[in-house]
Amino acid sequence: MVSPEMIRHAYESCVRDRVRRTPLYTSGAVSAQTGCLGLHLKMENLQATGSFKIRGATWRIATMTDDEKARGVIAASAGNHAQGVALAARMAGIAATIWMPERASIAKVQATEGYGATVILEGANFDEAVTAAKNRAAQTGAVFISAYDDDGVITGQGSLGLELLDELPELDTVIIPIGGGGLFSGVARAVKAARPHCRIIGVQASGANAAAQSFHAGKLLPRLTPCDTIADGIAIKAPSERTFEYIQALADDVVTVSDERIAEAILLLLTRMKVLVEPSGAAGLAALLAHPGLGVGQTACILCGGNIDLKLLSDLIERGMIRTSRYFHFFTSCPDRPGGLAALLDTIAKAGGNVMEVTHNRISAEIPYGRTGVEMLIEVRGEEHIARLEACLQAGGYPVRRLD
């Protein structure tokens, strides 16, 4: 393992001066929601490039020789590591080429190119992009920088742990998202060295939980196939042997969370703190929501990234509005004659509903002749309002079938 002294040296000699020191926020509303009254949120979503990845990339490039720098760097990433390497390379004045999966987020591709790197889209997933990047590095002599399986990267990520200790010296629990395990390895190594009794909790998405399975099995298991989660930043098929050593030795537990909980955490941060995070960045908070009592004492939860795709965000907001009874999504029918739809809309308006979407369906087998089906999305004020609106519709002769 990298030593605490190595992490301290990397931070004080390089990372501290080149990487943003992100704040530690608290929120009474979010703390109350999780039941963790000593909750502190490490805002790596506010980091340069929008994630912690710039820490490891900056130190890894700083340790390269002049000859290695002249050959440039190559990396593979779903997005956040790509941006970290691209910016770190630009600051060092060296060339960077990044392989990203063919279906990588458009926003992350454009951001990586914006930092000056050349982006090559290849492979159906992260692992195929890694293989392609390593092959090119072997052909050209460029330095391949792993997203997590690298001592220099782990050392740089450990700088985040030093900041936590500096700002919260009585740290009792740290909640750390795990993808490949580089962030976990560095932070856990720094924190455990200073506070051996601090609880270190790793978090994975349920659909990409190879590290959690391996931790509970007590050995590194075969790679998980497939990965299926909205948290693309931690959608890794397995940690490396290097990072699993840290997980096995330093984790007090590794828990999993569903995509539904991750979405809930994103919306909670957005509505109560006006803070935007990506799914992987919300995984730690999702764990606190899903596992009551997980945060003991002074708890630091790392919001590790904020690079969310706007289409996904829009989808999460729409679904969240339905789940929290701010939207009423239902199917009904009205007479198929002039004024039929207008009468239905008038009934909804009198009940205080605000129409967001209307879709006609005249050919459904469940709709009687002489009527037309109507799928509607209505903005409402809560479940009581939905009940009143539903009663008004039924009384007006409009059957209601909920679609949520």
Side-chain angles (χ1 to χ4, degrees), residues 19-355:
V19 171
R20 183 176 300 158
R21 180 169 178 142
T22 54
L24 202 61
Y25 284 174
T26 60
S27 166
V30 174
S31 295
Q33 193 88 1
T34 63
C36 178
L37 300 183
L39 179 60
H40 304 261
L41 303 173
K42 181 62 169 171
M43 311 299 291
E44 284 295 289
N45 60 309
L46 302 179
Q47 183 58 263
T49 74
S51 88
F52 71 94
K53 292 289 190 178
I54 185 64
R55 296 175 180 271
T58 295
W59 179 243
R60 178 64 182 88
I61 288 176
T63 62
M64 290 169 56
T65 66
D66 290 341
D67 178 62
E68 288 174 327
K69 290 178 180 178
R71 287 182 265 141
V73 296
I74 283 177
S77 169
N80 287 343
H81 180 58
Q83 294 175 67
V85 171
L87 179 56
R90 189 178 76 180
M91 291 191 296
I94 63 177
T97 305
I98 314 295
W99 265 254
M100 301 178 74
E102 293 167 356
R103 295 184 180 181
S105 160
I106 295 173
K108 291 182 178 181
V109 171
Q110 291 176 339
T112 303
E113 291 175 332
Y115 289 121
T118 299
V119 174
I120 297 177
L121 300 178
E122 185 173 349
N125 52 47
F126 170 75
D127 292 273
E128 291 184 8
V130 169
T131 299
K134 285 183 174 180
N135 288 340
R136 180 62 63 87
Q139 295 167 5
T140 64
V143 176
F144 176 77
I145 300 181
S146 170
Y148 54 88
D149 191 23
D150 184 289
D151 284 344
V153 169
I154 290 170
T155 302
Q157 316 302 24
S159 64
L160 194 155
L162 296 182
E163 291 182 3
L164 289 177
L165 291 166
D166 185 49
E167 297 179 64
L168 200 60
E170 299 304 314
L171 194 56
D172 297 305
T173 307
V174 183
I175 313 292
I176 312 172
I178 297 178
L183 176 66
F184 181 93
S185 300
V187 172
R189 187 73 172 113
V191 171
K192 278 288 192 183
R195 290 186 62 77
H197 299 296
C198 181
R199 298 170 67 247
I200 309 291
I201 308 298
V203 181
Q204 289 209 292
S206 300
N209 64 352
Q213 290 187 28
S214 295
F215 173 78
H216 292 291
K219 61 180 180 179
L220 185 58
L221 298 176
R223 298 169 71 80
L224 180 70
T225 302
C227 289
D228 184 15
T229 175
I230 62 173
D232 62 340
I234 53 175
I236 306 297
K237 291 184 178 180
S240 65
E241 291 184 9
R242 185 194 314 266
T243 56
F244 183 66
E245 180 184 354
Y246 290 85
I247 295 168
Q248 192 171 34
L250 302 174
D252 290 276
D253 198 2
V254 180
V255 301
T256 61
V257 291
S258 67
D259 281 357
E260 289 73 21
R261 282 295 194 181
I262 290 173
E264 180 185 348
I266 291 172
L267 295 176
L268 176 62
L269 289 167
L270 190 59
T271 55
R272 302 314 297 265
M273 293 184 67
K274 309 304 180 284
V275 166
L276 182 62
V277 297
E278 63 186 277
S280 58
L285 180 59
L288 290 169
L289 293 169
H291 302 277
L294 190 65
V296 176
Q298 296 299 307
T299 299
C301 177
I302 301 173
L303 306 184
C304 61
N307 296 313
I308 188 168
D309 182 80
L310 293 181
K311 184 177 181 301
L312 173 61
L313 177 61
S314 175
D315 183 49
L316 294 180
I317 291 173
E318 293 286 323
R319 293 171 185 242
M321 293 285 277
I322 292 173
R323 290 194 180 100
T324 58
S325 299
R326 292 293 310 281
Y327 280 168
F328 180 27
H329 190 204
F330 65 95
F331 186 80
T332 186
S333 67
C334 66
D336 190 11
R337 61 173 183 264
L341 179 60
L344 169 61
L345 295 176
D346 184 59
T347 299
I348 292 171
K350 288 179 178 177
N354 182 32
V355 177

